[in-house]
Amino acid sequence: MRNPFVNESGNYKTSYIQDMKMFGSAGAKIRSAILILVILSFPFFISNYVIGLLTLCAIASIGAIGLNILTGYTGQISIGVGAFLGVGGYTAAILTSTVGLSFWLALPLAGLVTAVVGGLFGIPSLRLKGLYLAIATLAAQVIILFVISRWDSLTGGTAGMVLSRPTVGGFSLSSNTSYFYLCIIILIFTAIYATNLIRTRTGRAFLAVRDRDVAAQIMGINLFKYKIMAFAISSFFVGIAGALLAHYTMIVSPELYGMHVSIEYLAMILIGGLGSVLGSILGAVFITLLPVALSIGVDSLTLFMPDLYQILSAFKEFVFGIVIILFLIFEPGGLANMWNNMRSYFKLWPFSY
C-alpha cells in the first residue's frame, strides 16, 4: 500500500506497457494537443506565401522521417532518396493523369510502389554496409533517374508530366491553405507511426541492427528481414512525400530529383538529429527555410552593394555548406539534442548546476 505521507517524484515506468506508451503523462498529451492546435491555426495569421513554405516543410518532414527510420534507427546509409521521391511522384502522376485513378487511391499506391522499389534496392544491404552500401544506393539513384528519363511512353521523358491538385467531392485543394492542412494531417500520422514503431519489436530490432548487427544476428534477429523491412518502410514514407510534392507543384520532371535532393535530405537528418522524429521535422524545416533566409539576406545586401549581386548569390551555397559542417563539428546530436538540452536546463532552473 502506498504511504500517503511520502511524496513521489519522477515519472517511473514499471512495466513494458508503460514504457511503450507514446505519452508518458497527461501533461505530455495536453502539450501535444496545444502544439497541434497552434500549427493548425497558422493559416489564420500568416500570408499565403508563408503557408506555401510551411507546406513544403511538412512534405520534407515526411520524407525526412522516412529516411531517419532507415539511416538513424537502422544504421543503413542511403543517398538515393531523391530517386525514391521521384518514384513516388511519377507513380502518383501516372495513376492520376494517365490511368485516371483518384488521388486518394494513387497516394497510398505511390507509397507502396516506392516501398517495393526501395526493398529491391535494399537487398545489397545484407552484404554491404557503410560506404559500400552508400555507393549501392547511389547506383539506385542513377538507375531510377535513367529509367525515368528514357521511358518516354510512360513518364514523358525529360519533358516530365503535368498534374492537378486533388479534390474531395466537388471541392478542390487548389489553395495553399487546404493543401497545407492535408500535408500537416499526413505528417502527424507519420510522426505518430514512426514514434510508436521504435517501441515495437520491429523498432527494437532496427536499433539492434544499427548498434551491432553481428550481435543482433546472434540473438536471433533476421538481418535480411529487418534490413529489407527498414528500406521498404523508409521508402514508403519517402514515396508519400514525393506524391504530395508532385501534386503540390503540379509537375514532375527528372531534374527535380537529382543528387542535390538526396544531399539535402541527408543534411536534414544530420542537422535535425539521427534517430529522432522531432529532429527529422526540425531538420526539414531548417534546410527548407535556410535558402529562403539566405536569399532574403542577399537581396537586402544587394540594395547597398548592387555590383556584388553575383558574388553574394554564390555565397549562399558556401553558407549552406558551412552550416552543415558547423553542426557536425559543434553539435553532432543536431537540433533535437539542442532542444533537449534547453528543456533540461529550464526544467531545473535556477538550480541547473
Side-chain angles (χ1 to χ4, degrees):
M1 180 179 296
R2 177 180 177 273
N3 188 341
F5 299 100
V6 176
N7 292 325
E8 295 183 1
S9 61
N11 184 17
Y12 301 105
K13 300 176 182 178
T14 58
S15 66
Y16 283 112
I17 295 178
Q18 291 178 345
D19 187 48
M20 292 175 64
K21 286 183 178 180
M22 183 174 179
F23 301 103
S25 63
K29 296 180 181 178
I30 294 174
R31 288 193 297 270
S32 300
I34 292 175
L35 176 61
I36 292 175
L37 290 176
V38 170
I39 294 174
L40 294 178
S41 66
F42 279 169
F44 297 101
F45 306 103
I46 57 180
S47 65
N48 195 52
Y49 172 72
V50 178
I51 295 174
L53 291 178
L54 294 181
T55 302
L56 292 176
C57 290
I59 295 173
S61 298
I62 296 171
I65 290 174
L67 179 60
N68 223 339
I69 291 175
L70 178 65
T71 302
Y73 288 122
T74 319
Q76 307 300 299
I77 301 176
S78 174
I79 52 177
V81 186
F84 295 130
L85 281 170
V87 172
Y90 270 93
T91 301
I94 293 169
L95 292 177
T96 54
S97 301
T98 304
V99 180
L101 287 181
S102 167
F103 167 82
W104 308 106
L105 288 175
L107 181 64
L109 287 176
L112 291 174
V113 170
T114 311
V116 173
V117 174
L120 291 175
F121 282 103
I123 292 177
S125 65
L126 185 63
R127 301 293 299 273
L128 303 174
K129 63 176 61 176
L131 293 176
Y132 299 98
L133 180 59
I135 294 300
T137 57
L138 176 61
Q141 171 92 17
V142 175
I143 292 171
I144 291 174
L145 290 183
F146 178 83
V147 172
I148 290 175
S149 301
R150 302 297 178 180
W151 200 346
D152 295 355
S153 60
L154 182 65
T155 65
T158 56
M161 301 178 66
V162 178
L163 298 82
S164 59
R165 289 285 180 88
T167 58
V168 180
F171 177 73
S172 175
L173 303 182
S174 57
S175 67
N176 283 354
T177 300
S178 58
Y179 208 84
F180 167 77
Y181 283 125
L182 170 64
C183 295
I184 286 295
I185 291 172
I186 295 177
L187 172 59
I188 292 172
F189 281 110
T190 301
I192 292 174
Y193 174 85
T195 303
N196 285 322
L197 175 65
I198 306 307
R199 293 174 166 83
T200 64
R201 178 184 179 89
T202 300
R204 297 182 188 276
F206 286 169
L207 297 177
V209 172
R210 178 196 66 185
D211 294 337
R212 184 70 67 177
D213 55 353
V214 175
Q217 188 174 27
I218 293 174
M219 290 188 298
I221 294 176
N222 188 329
L223 293 185
F224 180 78
K225 170 186 174 182
Y226 285 106
K227 285 185 177 182
I228 298 301
M229 189 181 297
F231 268 94
I233 294 175
S234 170
S235 299
F236 175 83
F237 288 112
V238 173
I240 293 293
L244 290 173
L245 181 62
H247 280 275
Y248 178 69
T249 59
M250 292 185 289
I251 187 172
V252 288
S253 181
E255 61 267 16
L256 298 177
Y257 308 107
M259 180 57 64
H260 67 284
V261 178
S262 298
I263 300 301
E264 286 180 356
Y265 271 84
L266 277 176
M268 290 176 190
I269 63 173
L270 288 174
I271 290 178
L274 289 174
S276 170
V277 174
L278 175 62
S280 303
I281 297 174
L282 294 177
V285 173
F286 185 88
I287 293 299
T288 302
L289 297 183
L290 180 60
V292 178
L294 293 176
S295 296
I296 294 174
V298 168
D299 292 340
S300 301
L301 291 175
T302 304
L303 295 176
F304 304 98
M305 296 175 289
D307 296 334
L308 299 179
Y309 177 77
Q310 293 183 347
I311 297 177
L312 292 174
S313 297
F315 188 70
K316 291 190 298 183
E317 305 296 332
F318 173 78
V319 173
F320 185 84
I322 287 295
V323 167
I324 297 176
I325 294 174
L326 291 177
F327 263 98
L328 292 176
I329 295 175
F330 296 104
E331 190 51 78
L335 294 171
N337 189 54
M338 293 176 61
W339 169 250
N340 291 330
N341 291 338
M342 290 175 57
R343 287 183 58 193
S344 300
Y345 177 83
F346 286 106
K347 184 180 294 184
L348 300 175
W349 187 86
F351 307 105
S352 54
Y353 56 85

